[in-house]
Amino acid sequence: MENQSPIRITSQEQLDALIEDGLNNPLDCFVLLNYGLRSSKEITFNDYGDYCVYNECDDSEEIIPHDSFMSSFLGEAIIKGALYSY
């Protein structure tokens, strides 16, 4: 089986499409940090269309309203070119 390269997520619309393509599975992704470190996350939608983010490093969860996504830490990661999907 071939390993695929991570996909850089460049917009909220692209993120939405990747989550929707997962058919009720969380989207495995990461934020690329300094020195090549990765902050792994799983992202799904809740019943209201908001983002449910599970942070693997500390088992924390966060809800990000869909309409304020780009002002969140993940929106900032997209702007900086640091959000990737596995």
Side-chain angles (χ1 to χ4, degrees):
M1 184 170 161
E2 260 181 62
N3 288 343
Q4 292 183 339
S5 298
I7 299 167
R8 180 180 284 169
I9 299 172
T10 59
S11 69
Q12 183 175 1
E13 293 78 16
Q14 180 189 16
L15 175 64
D16 290 353
L18 289 169
I19 294 170
E20 290 169 358
D21 286 346
L23 300 175
N24 298 320
N25 294 317
L27 177 67
D28 289 324
C29 56
F30 64 91
V31 176
L32 187 61
L33 305 172
N34 290 335
Y35 308 109
L37 298 174
R38 295 178 179 190
S39 177
S40 296
K41 309 194 176 305
E42 293 179 352
I43 305 174
T44 58
F45 289 126
N46 67 12
D47 292 339
Y48 304 103
D50 297 326
Y51 300 94
C52 296
V53 182
Y54 170 72
N55 298 296
E56 293 183 9
C57 67
D58 63 2
D59 288 331
S60 66
E61 295 182 27
E62 182 174 357
I63 305 260
I64 301 172
H66 196 272
D67 60 355
S68 60
F69 176 81
M70 289 309 290
S71 62
S72 73
F73 72 98
L74 288 177
E76 182 179 344
I78 286 176
I79 291 167
K80 293 181 176 181
L83 183 62
Y84 292 82
S85 174
Y86 288 107

